[in-house]
Amino acid sequence: QPQRSVTQLLAAIKRVCDAEPRKAIQGVGISVPGRVDRLTGRLAFAPNLRWGPFDIPKAIGAGTGLPVEIENAANLIILAERWFGSLSGVQDAVAINVSEGLGTGILAGGHLISGWNGMAGEFGHMTVEAPGLICGCGNRGCWETVASNQAALRQYRKLKGKVPASFTYRHLLIDAQDHKPEAVAALRYQFVQLARGLRTILAGLAPEVVLFAGDIVSAWPYFSGILS
């Protein structure tokens, strides 16, 4: 599985290089849904990816001849907004990346917080519902087991009954925008569960700004009041 994905990444990088022949590509940056070992550059914790300590920089570097950096997706959201977006002048912020799991990036005192060995910010794996469902990390009742996209789909299937295996979170969003009651209820459930964990983040870190990223933002006009 990792090697197949690396092959696809290399093909995508080649397409970018071929499309911009007059530009010098100086390096490759890769966003990952997990934490990176600061000493080895390998994946240290990515339970939803299930690649183990795969050496992504080595594999991509060998295929491109370019230097490669990898970083947690939520951390990169914080950095991108700090450099190019809405966080100019903001010293304390949290980014919450909502996808198959939940990842968080922390800006405190103007600095990105990595913690010991890059593991800071794993709020998706704090227990909010014990005993709850088994999480990909091996524990029960983690925040992402009730508030991730997968959790919303699980709630939708519980309400709807028989659902095609091809039904995705984006289909859920479309159905909610069409006011289909089970889809609306499933997204409302997800936002309520996001609010549960957000209370802990606000109490512990007191950020000035909280950023949310992921497909969920398309439902923001309808449900964001739950987080207020």
Side-chain angles (χ1 to χ4, degrees):
Q1 184 181 6
Q3 194 54 56
R4 184 169 67 248
S5 296
V6 165
T7 300
Q8 293 173 343
L9 281 170
L10 290 173
I13 293 167
K14 185 177 186 303
R15 287 196 298 272
V16 171
C17 293
D18 291 346
E20 300 289 348
R22 296 184 180 181
K23 292 185 178 179
I25 308 298
Q26 297 181 332
V28 178
I30 298 177
S31 166
V32 293
R35 300 295 163 175
V36 178
D37 188 311
R38 298 301 183 195
L39 297 176
T40 66
R42 292 170 176 254
L43 284 173
F45 181 74
N48 292 311
L49 196 56
R50 298 180 184 177
W51 281 11
F54 184 70
D55 196 335
I56 298 174
K58 182 179 179 180
I60 298 296
T64 62
L66 295 169
V68 180
E69 296 286 343
I70 67 171
E71 180 56 275
N72 173 264
N75 284 349
L76 289 176
I77 290 166
I78 283 280
L79 290 177
E81 289 294 332
R82 179 76 164 166
W83 294 339
F84 310 113
S86 60
L87 292 183
S88 177
V90 174
Q91 298 296 300
D92 301 281
V94 171
I96 302 176
N97 187 36
V98 186
S99 57
E100 287 77 10
L102 289 181
T104 52
I106 305 166
L107 184 74
H111 300 283
L112 184 67
I113 303 302
S114 338
W116 183 78
N117 204 22
M119 292 297 290
E122 282 303 316
F123 286 101
H125 295 287
M126 65 182 175
T127 301
V128 296
E129 195 167 272
L133 295 173
I134 295 178
C135 180
C137 72
N139 293 326
R140 283 187 176 272
C142 293
W143 188 26
E144 70 176 43
T145 66
V146 294
S148 66
N149 294 354
Q150 293 303 310
L153 284 170
R154 193 182 307 114
Q155 181 69 8
Y156 176 76
R157 292 188 180 100
K158 181 179 177 181
L159 295 170
K160 184 73 174 177
K162 191 174 182 180
V163 179
S166 59
F167 190 88
T168 68
Y169 187 75
R170 292 192 177 185
H171 293 127
L172 180 65
L173 291 169
I174 292 169
D175 280 0
Q177 290 170 1
D178 289 339
H179 306 289
K180 295 184 179 179
E182 295 89 353
V184 171
L187 283 181
R188 182 173 297 278
Y189 167 86
Q190 183 183 19
F191 272 82
V192 168
Q193 299 303 326
L194 283 170
R196 288 177 69 184
L198 182 59
R199 284 197 294 267
T200 298
I201 292 173
L202 294 177
L205 298 176
E208 178 184 352
V209 175
V210 177
L211 301 170
F212 281 85
D215 290 335
I216 195 172
V217 298
S218 67
W220 208 250
Y222 310 104
F223 299 101
S224 60
I226 295 171
L227 301 176
S228 300

